[in-house]
Amino acid sequence: MSAHATPGLQHHFRDHAQQKSAVGLGMWVFIAQEVMFFGGLFLTYAVYRSQYADVFALASHHLNTQLGAANTVVLILSSLTMALAVHAAALGKKQQTVLFLVLTLVLGGVFLGVKVVEYMEKFEHHLVPGPHFSGHALGLEGDRAGQAQIYFSLYFAMTGLHALHMIIGVPIILWIAWRAHAGEFRADYNSPVELVGLYWHFVDIIWIFLFPLLYLIS
Amino acid sequence: MEATSLTYLNNGHGAASWLLTRDHKRIALLYLISITAFFVIGGFFAMMVRLELLTPAGDLMSSETYNKMFTMHGVVMVFFFLIPSIPATLGNFLIPIMIGTKDLAFPRINLLSWYIYILGGAFTLVSALSGGVDTGWTFYTPYSTAAANSHVMTAALGVFITGFSSILTGLNFIVTIHRMRAPGMTWFRLPLFVWAHYATSLIMILGTPVIAITVLMVAAERALHLGIFDPALGGDPVLFQHLFWFYSHPAVYIMILPAMGVISELVTAMTRKRIFGYEFIAASSLLIAVFGFLVWGHHMFVSGQSTYAGFIFSALSFLVAIPSAIKVFNWMATLYKGSVSWDAPMLYTLGFIGLFTIGGLTGLFCASLGLDLHITDTYFIVAHFHYIMVGGSIMAYMGGLHFWWPKITGKLYPEWWARVSAALVFVGFNLTFFPQFIVGYLGMPRRYHAYPPEFQVWNVLSSAGASILGVGYLIPMFYFAWSMRYGKDAPANPWKAKGLEWEIESPPITENFLTQPIVTEEAYAYAAKEHGPDHGKPVTA
Amino acid sequence: MPNLPLFPEQASVQAGQVDAIYFFMVAVCGFFGLLIASLIVIFAVKFRRRHPDEVGAAIHGSLALELMWTIIPFFIAMGMFAWGAKVFFDLYRVPAGAMEIFVVGKQWMWKVQHASGQREINELHVPIGRPVKLIMGSEDVLHSYYIPAFRVKADVIPGRYNTMWFQATKPGRYHLFCAEYCGTKHSGMIGSVIAMDPADYQVWLDGGKAEDSPVAAGEKLFQAQGCASCHTAGPTQRGPSLANIFGHEVKLQGGGTALVDDAYLRESIVQPQAKIVDGFLPIMPTFQGMVTEEQLLQLIAYIKSLKGPAGPAGSPSPAPQQK
């Protein structure tokens, strides 16, 4: 087969339509797999929350709900800017695409910054699971402190895994923004932006479940 | 006879052209070499186990060492041999060709999956070389998190990393099969090998992430003394079992479905007869994948889970046997009035059908609640799963390797040596594992370093069989390697079989096809010929 | 060839039931296995390729066959399921009046306490002809108590109780194995179950070391650990009275009820805040780590033995005093 004149087309695909449908399905399959990955943590959370309901509620009250709520708004906004970026790319509007991608990055950065603040606060209160964990800050000891450690293990595992997904997303968005800036995307070739958008929306949706489950236990 | 164009084997020389390849066929060979290496390593651990079990006393090695031997045998064989074996070698090589396209949907992700596999394998080897892990491949808590004094973390991380190799392979296959089929290649014209790998891929992407997160939790708990699975800290050890088996039961279907796909191909090609019940075999693969996710609790009948859960899991476990039975009946019906070759691929196929049947039927014993209380955690279980995984999966893998070897390498393997090895494997396998059913029902628990003397007879028979089995596996390694250099050149279609892979050269060119194939006929459309007075007379295929 | 058994002795009521399923399944599966194996050989020989270019017959399939070999196996499988489930149900439902024996597994030994006070290590003496219920806990990791001759097995789990029962039928000494991998000396965590005629069993019981029965030992612990001060009626009572409490339901704080069984009592000692009886303050300290699994079993045995003036289970006497 001769070299393709159409840029961005991988040689093993017949045409752009096939490539676009393949990469789109690939991203959905990947997201399905991610749901199962987080699912194990959600299941563990469900089991222990039902078993240790009062300790979980106590620990949840200790989290900073305002910061959590603010972060939720920030992340939803970042999904909005991402959607606008995808839309702009579909219309071939280079500068808007780059602008919205950068805004998404900024909002993502704010989210991560707030998470750093929250994690540091946990560290100061000896609520990071491990050898230095103590239930003191919650007024708990003995077996109840152990249950609180389970809560915080899940807190750090779930929000940490989520934050890791955001941290991985950042350089990817940067790379896509760079390619947009270089004029690589057109109305008929913008699936990289769409795919990154899908990924980012998924990351957002995970947080929308995490926030009430971790922060709003009554 | 020299190929007139470059084949994928000589299209580019040097390490970089292999280690940075995007060609699914080269990646398949990279996998072939690495999983063979892990097979040898896993086999070494098995040899240690069977040597120790020749005598009732634990006199060959210390208990710690023995416990590491059976653990690492399991970890290596399950995660680094059986799960990748057929999909990553034969699947990678054949799926694009069988559906009439140039490569998988994501060639670079394919290469990445191999590197991830190697990285995970490296972690596991580090664990082995720095002293080994002794938790059993099942990593049950709280032993693995709180009490084990061995290299659990590195092994757990090795398993975690390698899981992503599996996930990426499955993702690649699903997208490829959905989106890259040749014009005219409708779903119901797909080879059954492809259906089998599609079902397998569903399990790979939905199940593997669960064990990934579970094994990560075990590593975290061990490092930080958390309490997720440790009752002393408020955790629940049985929760680990649920999470572990939620993946690891479907994982056994990852290990057998591709093998069944191979057998479907071999049974039709080696009888030159259309497969009987194509739609039923295709549907049964999907049913197995779905039902396989619903039966994990049958590993936990004595774990303290509720009796009602036990009832449900037992009933579903009986049901999941039925699609497999349907396959066996359809393969048998394909043999009927076929033109049955006695070449090595067919010998492995016939062996598979018999041994898989025994393995599957003994699965019914395990599914029976009343019976399982006696046989769980004994050698009966060990025998059951080895009948499926070795008598089943590995036999199918060997059959497939032989069948497609001419296509993959362009060389013919020596047929008589292959038949001898197949016979050795069959005899050795049965001698190794049938006695284990007996000694298991007698009450010998699994994972025992030393055992009461009355069990010795069966153990000696088993170890004797294992040495024959080992020889049966070693011989092909030699003649396959030999054939690469000295074997006869293979024609495009040495078996006179149907299938897109047999319409291209042996070995194929890098792009597989010179022109885009268009599919116009059903799979396995062998020339119609009723058996009549002319049966046996030559017919042009 | 000397005696080479293919299955263990049948030494319990359960053994016969389990073996019946086994023999049935060997027969059915053996039949189908042999059938398939024979057909493989017959087809391979009868239809072997006689000419290199020969091709098989053109047969597509048969819906009738597919239905037949789906539906018949389905009914066979469901029959097998039902039989196994029934035996399992019987294996799980402990008959009333079963003799209770406590078992504690720890790396790598089995500790047994009889209700009469007899203790054993790696052995278990039981009378024949009487249902025996084992209440089992682990001190450390997962174990499993397996008596092949009785065809029973149950995991022994740290942090909770698991139970199993059997009724021995034949006097003799039978293997006892740990059947859940538990570390270095897993295969050394073995012993014997000795079934005896009731008369011989009584002799054995009487001849043993005069040790405290679990109830007596439990009573001593109850005093020594300070349980008595809060749980006995009187001016210092702060917790529910424990007289007659076993086997009854108690109302819990926050709604709901709980059945006071072994598991509830164990939980209330090591995780006292988990299910607090309605009307009491959450002030009981935890005894996790301060009493061993064996001592927990002794405390529970003692509490089970407490009889007192019949009153609503767990009822407070006069309201808890301030200060």
Side-chain angles (χ1 to χ4, degrees), chain B residues 167-213:
Chain B
I167 290 171
L168 292 179
T169 299
L171 189 156
N172 229 336
F173 285 174
I174 288 180
V175 177
T176 304
I177 297 170
H178 270 281
R179 296 286 190 249
M180 315 239 334
R181 283 167 286 126
M185 177 62 85
T186 60
W187 280 90
F188 284 98
R189 286 179 178 166
L190 282 171
L192 289 166
F193 180 88
V194 179
W195 275 103
H197 279 79
Y198 182 77
T200 306
S201 302
L202 290 174
I203 306 176
M204 279 169 155
I205 55 154
L206 293 175
T208 317
V210 178
I211 197 176
I213 198 72

Tab-separated table of all heavy atoms in Angstrom, chain B residues 167-213:
chain	number	residue	atom	x	y	z
B	167	ILE	N	-5.192	-6.707	30.058
B	167	ILE	CA	-6.263	-5.757	29.755
B	167	ILE	C	-6.052	-5.137	28.387
B	167	ILE	O	-6.991	-5.025	27.573
B	167	ILE	CB	-6.318	-4.662	30.845
B	167	ILE	CG1	-6.836	-5.262	32.162
B	167	ILE	CG2	-7.193	-3.504	30.407
B	167	ILE	CD1	-6.726	-4.321	33.341
B	168	LEU	N	-4.832	-4.749	28.095
B	168	LEU	CA	-4.587	-4.102	26.805
B	168	LEU	C	-4.774	-5.084	25.648
B	168	LEU	O	-5.273	-4.705	24.582
B	168	LEU	CB	-3.177	-3.513	26.786
B	168	LEU	CG	-2.971	-2.328	27.723
B	168	LEU	CD1	-1.534	-1.831	27.663
B	168	LEU	CD2	-3.923	-1.185	27.366
B	169	THR	N	-4.379	-6.336	25.861
B	169	THR	CA	-4.617	-7.339	24.813
B	169	THR	C	-6.108	-7.488	24.552
B	169	THR	O	-6.563	-7.486	23.406
B	169	THR	CB	-4.021	-8.698	25.243
B	169	THR	OG1	-2.618	-8.550	25.432
B	169	THR	CG2	-4.269	-9.756	24.184
B	170	GLY	N	-6.867	-7.595	25.619
B	170	GLY	CA	-8.314	-7.755	25.462
B	170	GLY	C	-8.938	-6.553	24.763
B	170	GLY	O	-9.796	-6.685	23.881
B	171	LEU	N	-8.514	-5.356	25.167
B	171	LEU	CA	-9.027	-4.137	24.554
B	171	LEU	C	-8.745	-4.136	23.054
B	171	LEU	O	-9.620	-3.851	22.225
B	171	LEU	CB	-8.368	-2.927	25.236
B	171	LEU	CG	-8.874	-1.523	24.936
B	171	LEU	CD1	-8.515	-0.604	26.089
B	171	LEU	CD2	-8.294	-0.964	23.667
B	172	ASN	N	-7.524	-4.480	22.693
B	172	ASN	CA	-7.125	-4.521	21.288
B	172	ASN	C	-7.991	-5.499	20.499
B	172	ASN	O	-8.467	-5.194	19.407
B	172	ASN	CB	-5.656	-4.950	21.196
B	172	ASN	CG	-4.852	-4.033	20.310
B	172	ASN	OD1	-5.402	-3.370	19.434
B	172	ASN	ND2	-3.558	-3.979	20.506
B	173	PHE	N	-8.190	-6.674	21.057
B	173	PHE	CA	-8.965	-7.689	20.338
B	173	PHE	C	-10.408	-7.234	20.138
B	173	PHE	O	-10.979	-7.389	19.060
B	173	PHE	CB	-8.949	-9.021	21.098
B	173	PHE	CG	-7.662	-9.783	21.016
B	173	PHE	CD1	-7.494	-10.939	21.758
B	173	PHE	CD2	-6.616	-9.370	20.199
B	173	PHE	CE1	-6.299	-11.661	21.697
B	173	PHE	CE2	-5.426	-10.086	20.133
B	173	PHE	CZ	-5.276	-11.235	20.884
B	174	ILE	N	-11.013	-6.675	21.181
B	174	ILE	CA	-12.422	-6.283	21.049
B	174	ILE	C	-12.590	-5.242	19.963
B	174	ILE	O	-13.453	-5.362	19.073
B	174	ILE	CB	-12.951	-5.760	22.395
B	174	ILE	CG1	-13.106	-6.919	23.370
B	174	ILE	CG2	-14.276	-5.046	22.206
B	174	ILE	CD1	-13.623	-6.506	24.713
B	175	VAL	N	-11.750	-4.210	19.985
B	175	VAL	CA	-11.890	-3.150	18.989
B	175	VAL	C	-11.592	-3.695	17.596
B	175	VAL	O	-12.296	-3.388	16.630
B	175	VAL	CB	-10.967	-1.966	19.317
B	175	VAL	CG1	-11.057	-0.910	18.233
B	175	VAL	CG2	-11.349	-1.370	20.656
B	176	THR	N	-10.577	-4.534	17.492
B	176	THR	CA	-10.225	-5.102	16.184
B	176	THR	C	-11.374	-5.911	15.608
B	176	THR	O	-11.747	-5.755	14.450
B	176	THR	CB	-8.985	-6.005	16.331
B	176	THR	OG1	-7.925	-5.253	16.903
B	176	THR	CG2	-8.553	-6.546	14.983
B	177	ILE	N	-11.939	-6.782	16.428
B	177	ILE	CA	-12.992	-7.653	15.919
B	177	ILE	C	-14.235	-6.847	15.558
B	177	ILE	O	-14.929	-7.144	14.585
B	177	ILE	CB	-13.305	-8.754	16.948
B	177	ILE	CG1	-12.064	-9.637	17.150
B	177	ILE	CG2	-14.481	-9.605	16.512
B	177	ILE	CD1	-12.162	-10.594	18.303
B	178	HIS	N	-14.512	-5.785	16.323
B	178	HIS	CA	-15.680	-4.966	15.992
B	178	HIS	C	-15.475	-4.155	14.737
B	178	HIS	O	-16.384	-3.995	13.929
B	178	HIS	CB	-15.985	-4.028	17.155
B	178	HIS	CG	-16.923	-4.601	18.166
B	178	HIS	ND1	-18.288	-4.642	17.957
B	178	HIS	CD2	-16.711	-5.149	19.374
B	178	HIS	CE1	-18.860	-5.201	19.023
B	178	HIS	NE2	-17.934	-5.515	19.891
B	179	ARG	N	-14.281	-3.573	14.588
B	179	ARG	CA	-14.138	-2.497	13.608
B	179	ARG	C	-13.291	-2.820	12.396
B	179	ARG	O	-13.260	-2.029	11.448
B	179	ARG	CB	-13.511	-1.276	14.296
B	179	ARG	CG	-14.367	-0.686	15.389
B	179	ARG	CD	-15.547	0.081	14.800
B	179	ARG	NE	-16.217	0.839	15.843
B	179	ARG	CZ	-17.441	0.553	16.295
B	179	ARG	NH1	-18.112	-0.448	15.800
B	179	ARG	NH2	-17.975	1.286	17.264
B	180	MET	N	-12.540	-3.930	12.403
B	180	MET	CA	-11.568	-4.097	11.338
B	180	MET	C	-11.833	-5.317	10.462
B	180	MET	O	-10.959	-5.744	9.723
B	180	MET	CB	-10.142	-4.204	11.929
B	180	MET	CG	-9.892	-3.188	12.979
B	180	MET	SD	-8.571	-2.021	12.788
B	180	MET	CE	-7.368	-2.678	11.777
B	181	ARG	N	-13.023	-5.873	10.546
B	181	ARG	CA	-13.298	-7.038	9.731
B	181	ARG	C	-13.328	-6.661	8.257
B	181	ARG	O	-13.774	-5.570	7.887
B	181	ARG	CB	-14.633	-7.674	10.123
B	181	ARG	CG	-14.553	-8.485	11.413
B	181	ARG	CD	-15.927	-8.850	11.948
B	181	ARG	NE	-16.575	-7.693	12.538
B	181	ARG	CZ	-17.785	-7.273	12.199
B	181	ARG	NH1	-18.478	-7.894	11.280
B	181	ARG	NH2	-18.302	-6.201	12.782
B	182	ALA	N	-12.872	-7.584	7.426
B	182	ALA	CA	-12.864	-7.346	5.979
B	182	ALA	C	-14.292	-7.217	5.459
B	182	ALA	O	-15.231	-7.724	6.077
B	182	ALA	CB	-12.169	-8.516	5.292
B	183	PRO	N	-14.462	-6.561	4.319
B	183	PRO	CA	-15.795	-6.494	3.720
B	183	PRO	C	-16.330	-7.907	3.502
B	183	PRO	O	-15.620	-8.783	3.002
B	183	PRO	CB	-15.549	-5.792	2.379
B	183	PRO	CG	-14.269	-5.069	2.553
B	183	PRO	CD	-13.460	-5.831	3.552
B	184	GLY	N	-17.568	-8.142	3.893
B	184	GLY	CA	-18.161	-9.466	3.728
B	184	GLY	C	-17.951	-10.372	4.918
B	184	GLY	O	-18.595	-11.421	5.027
B	185	MET	N	-17.055	-9.967	5.816
B	185	MET	CA	-16.808	-10.813	6.999
B	185	MET	C	-17.817	-10.401	8.063
B	185	MET	O	-17.527	-9.584	8.942
B	185	MET	CB	-15.375	-10.630	7.496
B	185	MET	CG	-15.036	-11.400	8.769
B	185	MET	SD	-15.152	-13.163	8.612
B	185	MET	CE	-13.544	-13.547	7.945
B	186	THR	N	-19.002	-10.997	7.975
B	186	THR	CA	-20.013	-10.695	8.972
B	186	THR	C	-19.688	-11.460	10.244
B	186	THR	O	-18.851	-12.368	10.251
B	186	THR	CB	-21.404	-11.126	8.480
B	186	THR	OG1	-21.358	-12.547	8.240
B	186	THR	CG2	-21.782	-10.405	7.213
B	187	TRP	N	-20.378	-11.133	11.309
B	187	TRP	CA	-20.109	-11.809	12.585
B	187	TRP	C	-20.254	-13.310	12.451
B	187	TRP	O	-19.441	-14.069	12.987
B	187	TRP	CB	-21.050	-11.297	13.676
B	187	TRP	CG	-20.611	-9.989	14.245
B	187	TRP	CD1	-20.957	-8.734	13.812
B	187	TRP	CD2	-19.710	-9.786	15.343
B	187	TRP	NE1	-20.333	-7.776	14.572
B	187	TRP	CE2	-19.565	-8.387	15.521
B	187	TRP	CE3	-19.013	-10.641	16.192
B	187	TRP	CZ2	-18.753	-7.830	16.511
B	187	TRP	CZ3	-18.204	-10.089	17.191
B	187	TRP	CH2	-18.080	-8.694	17.331
B	188	PHE	N	-21.287	-13.758	11.726
B	188	PHE	CA	-21.504	-15.197	11.659
B	188	PHE	C	-20.717	-15.885	10.556
B	188	PHE	O	-20.956	-17.039	10.249
B	188	PHE	CB	-23.005	-15.512	11.588
B	188	PHE	CG	-23.664	-15.350	12.923
B	188	PHE	CD1	-24.355	-14.183	13.232
B	188	PHE	CD2	-23.528	-16.317	13.902
B	188	PHE	CE1	-24.919	-14.012	14.487
B	188	PHE	CE2	-24.093	-16.153	15.156
B	188	PHE	CZ	-24.799	-15.002	15.457
B	189	ARG	N	-19.762	-15.152	9.987
B	189	ARG	CA	-18.801	-15.815	9.118
B	189	ARG	C	-17.427	-15.865	9.769
B	189	ARG	O	-16.478	-16.388	9.193
B	189	ARG	CB	-18.685	-15.079	7.779
B	189	ARG	CG	-19.875	-15.276	6.867
B	189	ARG	CD	-19.673	-14.496	5.586
B	189	ARG	NE	-20.768	-14.699	4.674
B	189	ARG	CZ	-20.979	-13.926	3.606
B	189	ARG	NH1	-20.161	-12.914	3.342
B	189	ARG	NH2	-21.989	-14.167	2.810
B	190	LEU	N	-17.322	-15.287	10.974
B	190	LEU	CA	-16.040	-15.275	11.670
B	190	LEU	C	-15.621	-16.696	12.034
B	190	LEU	O	-16.456	-17.506	12.429
B	190	LEU	CB	-16.147	-14.473	12.965
B	190	LEU	CG	-16.116	-12.957	12.853
B	190	LEU	CD1	-16.446	-12.349	14.209
B	190	LEU	CD2	-14.766	-12.467	12.367
B	191	PRO	N	-14.326	-16.990	11.963
B	191	PRO	CA	-13.862	-18.267	12.501
B	191	PRO	C	-14.175	-18.333	13.992
B	191	PRO	O	-14.174	-17.322	14.688
B	191	PRO	CB	-12.357	-18.246	12.262
B	191	PRO	CG	-12.151	-17.231	11.203
B	191	PRO	CD	-13.242	-16.229	11.357
B	192	LEU	N	-14.422	-19.551	14.482
B	192	LEU	CA	-14.769	-19.700	15.891
B	192	LEU	C	-13.617	-19.316	16.810
B	192	LEU	O	-13.819	-18.964	17.965
B	192	LEU	CB	-15.236	-21.130	16.169
B	192	LEU	CG	-16.615	-21.384	15.555
B	192	LEU	CD1	-16.934	-22.866	15.536
B	192	LEU	CD2	-17.688	-20.631	16.327
B	193	PHE	N	-12.400	-19.392	16.288
B	193	PHE	CA	-11.234	-18.928	17.035
B	193	PHE	C	-11.428	-17.460	17.418
B	193	PHE	O	-11.088	-17.040	18.525
B	193	PHE	CB	-9.988	-19.103	16.158
B	193	PHE	CG	-8.695	-18.678	16.786
B	193	PHE	CD1	-7.956	-19.574	17.540
B	193	PHE	CD2	-8.189	-17.392	16.597
B	193	PHE	CE1	-6.742	-19.195	18.104
B	193	PHE	CE2	-6.975	-17.008	17.168
B	193	PHE	CZ	-6.253	-17.922	17.918
B	194	VAL	N	-11.986	-16.681	16.497
B	194	VAL	CA	-12.184	-15.259	16.757
B	194	VAL	C	-13.293	-15.066	17.792
B	194	VAL	O	-13.158	-14.270	18.715
B	194	VAL	CB	-12.496	-14.520	15.450
B	194	VAL	CG1	-12.733	-13.048	15.709
B	194	VAL	CG2	-11.365	-14.699	14.456
B	195	TRP	N	-14.401	-15.780	17.649
B	195	TRP	CA	-15.467	-15.719	18.646
B	195	TRP	C	-14.916	-16.028	20.035
B	195	TRP	O	-15.230	-15.372	21.016
B	195	TRP	CB	-16.567	-16.739	18.324
B	195	TRP	CG	-17.602	-16.265	17.367
B	195	TRP	CD1	-17.712	-16.595	16.049
B	195	TRP	CD2	-18.706	-15.395	17.646
B	195	TRP	NE1	-18.808	-15.975	15.494
B	195	TRP	CE2	-19.438	-15.240	16.452
B	195	TRP	CE3	-19.154	-14.743	18.798
B	195	TRP	CZ2	-20.588	-14.460	16.368
B	195	TRP	CZ3	-20.298	-13.969	18.721
B	195	TRP	CH2	-20.991	-13.831	17.510
B	196	ALA	N	-14.096	-17.076	20.108
B	196	ALA	CA	-13.564	-17.486	21.412
B	196	ALA	C	-12.721	-16.364	22.008
B	196	ALA	O	-12.807	-16.071	23.200
B	196	ALA	CB	-12.729	-18.748	21.253
B	197	HIS	N	-11.925	-15.719	21.167
B	197	HIS	CA	-11.076	-14.653	21.703
B	197	HIS	C	-11.873	-13.408	22.031
B	197	HIS	O	-11.482	-12.636	22.911
B	197	HIS	CB	-9.933	-14.342	20.728
B	197	HIS	CG	-8.817	-15.313	20.851
B	197	HIS	ND1	-8.863	-16.564	20.296
B	197	HIS	CD2	-7.644	-15.236	21.526
B	197	HIS	CE1	-7.754	-17.219	20.603
B	197	HIS	NE2	-6.990	-16.441	21.357
B	198	TYR	N	-12.971	-13.216	21.345
B	198	TYR	CA	-13.828	-12.082	21.689
B	198	TYR	C	-14.404	-12.278	23.088
B	198	TYR	O	-14.337	-11.382	23.938
B	198	TYR	CB	-14.946	-11.947	20.661
B	198	TYR	CG	-15.838	-10.766	20.915
B	198	TYR	CD1	-15.419	-9.479	20.586
B	198	TYR	CD2	-17.088	-10.917	21.500
B	198	TYR	CE1	-16.224	-8.382	20.829
B	198	TYR	CE2	-17.894	-9.819	21.749
B	198	TYR	CZ	-17.463	-8.561	21.410
B	198	TYR	OH	-18.261	-7.470	21.661
B	199	ALA	N	-14.919	-13.475	23.326
B	199	ALA	CA	-15.467	-13.762	24.659
B	199	ALA	C	-14.378	-13.643	25.725
B	199	ALA	O	-14.591	-13.093	26.806
B	199	ALA	CB	-16.082	-15.157	24.679
B	200	THR	N	-13.201	-14.172	25.409
B	200	THR	CA	-12.077	-14.077	26.354
B	200	THR	C	-11.762	-12.627	26.662
B	200	THR	O	-11.504	-12.261	27.812
B	200	THR	CB	-10.837	-14.746	25.752
B	200	THR	OG1	-11.151	-16.073	25.364
B	200	THR	CG2	-9.697	-14.753	26.746
B	201	SER	N	-11.766	-11.797	25.639
B	201	SER	CA	-11.400	-10.391	25.840
B	201	SER	C	-12.389	-9.678	26.731
B	201	SER	O	-12.005	-8.792	27.504
B	201	SER	CB	-11.315	-9.688	24.488
B	201	SER	OG	-10.375	-10.335	23.669
B	202	LEU	N	-13.667	-10.067	26.638
B	202	LEU	CA	-14.646	-9.460	27.546
B	202	LEU	C	-14.250	-9.730	28.992
B	202	LEU	O	-14.313	-8.848	29.851
B	202	LEU	CB	-16.040	-10.031	27.276
B	202	LEU	CG	-16.684	-9.629	25.965
B	202	LEU	CD1	-17.990	-10.381	25.756
B	202	LEU	CD2	-16.938	-8.123	25.932
B	203	ILE	N	-13.856	-10.963	29.256
B	203	ILE	CA	-13.451	-11.292	30.617
B	203	ILE	C	-12.184	-10.536	30.990
B	203	ILE	O	-12.050	-10.008	32.097
B	203	ILE	CB	-13.201	-12.807	30.759
B	203	ILE	CG1	-14.406	-13.600	30.296
B	203	ILE	CG2	-12.882	-13.143	32.206
B	203	ILE	CD1	-14.189	-15.094	30.316
B	204	MET	N	-11.245	-10.458	30.061
B	204	MET	CA	-9.974	-9.791	30.371
B	204	MET	C	-10.209	-8.356	30.801
B	204	MET	O	-9.607	-7.886	31.768
B	204	MET	CB	-9.061	-9.797	29.147
B	204	MET	CG	-8.317	-11.089	28.939
B	204	MET	SD	-7.554	-11.035	27.305
B	204	MET	CE	-6.206	-12.163	27.558
B	205	ILE	N	-11.095	-7.636	30.090
B	205	ILE	CA	-11.204	-6.227	30.443
B	205	ILE	C	-12.106	-5.995	31.640
B	205	ILE	O	-11.948	-5.008	32.354
B	205	ILE	CB	-11.686	-5.365	29.264
B	205	ILE	CG1	-13.005	-5.904	28.703
B	205	ILE	CG2	-10.654	-5.274	28.181
B	205	ILE	CD1	-13.765	-4.805	28.037
B	206	LEU	N	-13.046	-6.884	31.888
B	206	LEU	CA	-13.954	-6.625	33.008
B	206	LEU	C	-13.465	-7.261	34.299
B	206	LEU	O	-13.773	-6.777	35.376
B	206	LEU	CB	-15.355	-7.139	32.667
B	206	LEU	CG	-16.045	-6.388	31.532
B	206	LEU	CD1	-17.379	-7.030	31.183
B	206	LEU	CD2	-16.255	-4.927	31.898
B	207	GLY	N	-12.721	-8.350	34.202
B	207	GLY	CA	-12.303	-9.054	35.412
B	207	GLY	C	-10.951	-8.626	35.943
B	207	GLY	O	-10.768	-8.439	37.151
B	208	THR	N	-9.992	-8.458	35.037
B	208	THR	CA	-8.620	-8.203	35.485
B	208	THR	C	-8.495	-6.965	36.366
B	208	THR	O	-7.730	-6.983	37.349
B	208	THR	CB	-7.678	-8.099	34.279
B	208	THR	OG1	-7.994	-9.121	33.339
B	208	THR	CG2	-6.240	-8.241	34.703
B	209	PRO	N	-9.208	-5.862	36.089
B	209	PRO	CA	-9.040	-4.703	36.965
B	209	PRO	C	-9.376	-5.001	38.425
B	209	PRO	O	-8.804	-4.386	39.328
B	209	PRO	CB	-10.028	-3.676	36.397
B	209	PRO	CG	-10.316	-4.105	35.026
B	209	PRO	CD	-10.127	-5.577	34.973
B	210	VAL	N	-10.281	-5.966	38.640
B	210	VAL	CA	-10.663	-6.224	40.027
B	210	VAL	C	-9.524	-6.873	40.785
B	210	VAL	O	-9.235	-6.526	41.931
B	210	VAL	CB	-11.934	-7.097	40.077
B	210	VAL	CG1	-12.299	-7.411	41.514
B	210	VAL	CG2	-13.078	-6.366	39.411
B	211	ILE	N	-8.836	-7.824	40.145
B	211	ILE	CA	-7.718	-8.401	40.876
B	211	ILE	C	-6.587	-7.395	40.984
B	211	ILE	O	-5.831	-7.418	41.965
B	211	ILE	CB	-7.209	-9.727	40.270
B	211	ILE	CG1	-6.372	-10.420	41.332
B	211	ILE	CG2	-6.455	-9.529	38.995
B	211	ILE	CD1	-5.878	-11.757	40.971
B	212	ALA	N	-6.490	-6.503	40.002
B	212	ALA	CA	-5.437	-5.498	40.091
B	212	ALA	C	-5.602	-4.672	41.355
B	212	ALA	O	-4.660	-4.504	42.139
B	212	ALA	CB	-5.470	-4.602	38.859
B	213	ILE	N	-6.821	-4.183	41.586
B	213	ILE	CA	-7.005	-3.331	42.751
B	213	ILE	C	-6.890	-4.144	44.033
B	213	ILE	O	-6.384	-3.667	45.058
B	213	ILE	CB	-8.351	-2.579	42.666
B	213	ILE	CG1	-8.358	-1.382	43.611
B	213	ILE	CG2	-9.526	-3.463	42.981
B	213	ILE	CD1	-7.501	-0.260	43.152
